[in-house]
Amino acid sequence: MSARRPGGSLQRRLFLGALVFVTLALVVAGLAIGLVLYRFARGQIDARLDGELLAMSSDLKPGPSGPILAAPHDGPPFDRARSGWYWQVRAGDAVLRSPSLGAADLALPQVPEPEDGRPVPADGTGPRGEGLILRVLRLPGPRDGPDIVLVAAAPAAALHGPLREAGKTLALALGLLGICLIAGITVQVRLGLRPLRALRDDLAAVRAGASERVPAEQPQEIRPVVTELNLLLDQNAANLERARAHVANLAHGLKTPLATLAMAAERGAEPGLAPLVAAMDRQVRHHLRRARAAALGGSIRTRTDLSAHTSDLAAALSRLHAERGVAIATEVAPGTSVACDAQDLDEMLGNLIDNACRWAASRVRIRAARDGGLIELRVEDDGPGLTPEQAAHVLQRGRRLDETVPGDGFGLPITLELAELYGGALSLERSDLGGLLARLRLPA
């Protein structure tokens, strides 16, 4: 048992899959770039604070009540009150503060003891509860004295504000990149699936009879599929030809025995033989029609140019009836085609046009028009025409209205049978020209 294959749209599946991967890639890229920007911005602030701490540590000197700074460190931005940029030096109870800190103290969090004498990062809270980024440097104090703790602080907004602005720009850039990628994916999917659409059109042309095979010039990925399709078409065509040959052989094989029986019935060789022969003829024709319909199961692939066949038959029959002076006018648009075998079409057209020429006074008109999925062919003449009862009578096999006119009475019934075989119809009406109008409807 074969595994169930998923349905749906291949284009939609490809597009959604690519969209998911692009979205994940953009999210990962955004997070990675954001982390890099954060580390860069934090490194810049830490370097600035470390520079301030190292400068203060080099200017520290012992004083009478604690450490003092030999040089002022009140430059911007540490001179603006409550700016978030603070520094503080504490040795026991002695405290030195930046002008921006005023009389407030910085609460120091627990920080690990540095091993190399370098500043240690920390996060703290300012006098107004604002978030601060801290760098803490612990120096050994004088003998028997407390350690000296130097703290430099920067507002957390100095880090998060630029990151927020950079994040907006980054999100916009990634969004534009995502739109471009999605547009590129859409174009790529459409271009990638274009050979499949071309293959669909080629198969439609084969089904309509415009082509016998699918072109072999295909992309490498679908070339094996096209090869298998062409092999299948060849096999179906061979089966069709064999089936039609069998039907033809059957028809020819039964024609002679039935004709012999019919002649015997006409001579009255056996009473009651004529009804049996007629019944056999009906049964044989019925089953032959069914067999032929099965053989023509692929007839939708048959495409016959109606305009060309009509013109050829009209020209031939015009010469045949030239002594009667019958003019045949055809009004069939070039390119008009029907889904019908060429030989069957010639037989139907030949019967109708020949019948019109036999009964026409001087004019025969042939027109064709499309009606939905059917082509309606109208063959008209300016002869005497038929009543509805006569029209029904002549559609019966072997029935003739005038024995003086050459013919065997089988043309119109055969045309009707062939038309019905292809899903069409034949009707006889009164023409505007005064004579007979034969409407032959065949699939387009």
Side-chain angles (χ1 to χ4, degrees), residues 35-246:
L35 178 61
V36 170
L37 290 177
Y38 173 82
R39 293 173 65 88
F40 175 78
R42 181 67 184 259
Q44 294 294 312
I45 293 176
D46 289 347
R48 184 172 185 178
L49 296 179
D50 288 351
E52 185 68 19
L53 291 177
L54 293 177
M56 289 191 298
S57 65
S58 63
D59 290 339
L60 280 178
K61 292 184 178 181
S65 57
I68 60 174
L69 291 172
H73 289 266
D74 299 337
F78 297 97
D79 59 342
R80 298 194 300 270
R82 299 180 177 182
S83 63
W85 293 88
Y86 309 127
W87 57 260
Q88 176 180 285
V89 180
R90 178 182 290 276
D93 294 333
V95 179
L96 299 176
R97 305 178 183 86
S98 63
S100 58
L101 190 57
D105 287 337
L106 289 176
L108 298 181
Q110 293 293 332
V111 295
E113 192 73 22
E115 298 180 355
D116 54 358
R118 297 177 62 84
V120 178
D123 293 324
T125 304
R128 296 180 298 150
E130 70 273 24
L132 297 178
I133 298 173
L134 304 179
R135 299 288 288 181
V136 182
L137 178 62
R138 188 180 296 272
L139 300 176
R143 187 173 53 183
D144 299 331
D147 289 345
I148 301 174
V149 180
L150 290 81
V151 181
L159 172 64
H160 299 304
L163 284 180
R164 191 177 298 111
E165 294 300 322
K168 293 179 180 179
T169 304
L170 176 62
L172 179 60
L174 291 179
L176 293 176
L177 176 61
I179 293 174
C180 294
L181 288 176
I182 291 173
I185 289 170
T186 302
V187 173
Q188 183 181 12
V189 169
R190 289 184 176 275
L191 290 178
L193 295 180
R194 180 175 293 177
L196 293 181
R197 290 191 289 270
L199 178 59
R200 177 195 62 191
D201 296 337
D202 292 335
L203 288 175
V206 171
R207 186 174 66 89
S211 177
E212 292 295 329
R213 295 168 58 86
V214 179
E217 294 78 15
Q218 302 287 346
Q220 182 178 358
E221 290 75 11
I222 63 174
R223 197 175 300 157
V225 178
V226 172
T227 301
E228 293 298 326
L229 284 173
N230 284 330
L231 291 176
L232 179 61
L233 291 173
D234 293 340
Q235 182 179 358
N236 287 342
N239 292 337
L240 177 62
E241 289 301 322
R242 283 195 295 269
R244 297 188 67 171
H246 290 321

Side-chain angles (χ1 to χ4, degrees), residues 290-439:
R290 293 189 61 183
R292 191 174 186 186
L296 291 173
S299 63
I300 193 169
R301 288 176 45 206
T302 304
R303 181 189 181 98
T304 304
D305 190 340
L306 178 63
S307 59
H309 283 254
T310 302
S311 299
D312 293 342
L313 286 172
L317 291 172
S318 179
R319 290 192 296 270
L320 184 62
H321 295 276
E323 72 281 357
R324 298 186 60 247
V326 177
I328 303 177
T330 59
E331 300 176 12
V332 182
T336 303
S337 301
V338 292
C340 177
D341 182 75
Q343 295 180 357
D344 292 338
L345 179 63
D346 286 341
E347 185 169 1
M348 289 184 283
L349 288 179
N351 289 334
L352 295 179
I353 301 175
D354 183 60
N355 184 75
C357 290
R358 289 177 186 273
W359 293 96
S362 60
R363 294 180 58 194
V364 173
R365 183 171 63 190
I366 305 172
R367 295 182 296 174
R370 184 166 187 137
D371 183 11
L374 297 174
I375 297 293
E376 183 177 88
L377 182 72
R378 303 177 184 180
V379 181
E380 306 173 71
D381 62 71
D382 59 352
L386 298 175
T387 65
E389 293 77 12
Q390 291 173 330
H393 182 80
V394 297
L395 289 178
Q396 299 177 18
R397 183 175 295 272
R399 299 298 183 89
R400 301 172 59 195
L401 296 178
D402 190 348
E403 298 292 337
T404 63
V405 178
D408 53 18
F410 289 94
L412 292 178
I414 290 176
T415 302
L416 175 61
E417 289 182 3
L418 288 175
E420 292 177 346
L421 179 66
Y422 286 96
L426 173 65
S427 62
L428 303 178
E429 304 172 11
R430 175 68 65 174
S431 169
D432 294 338
L433 299 180
L436 182 67
L437 165 60
R439 295 179 182 267

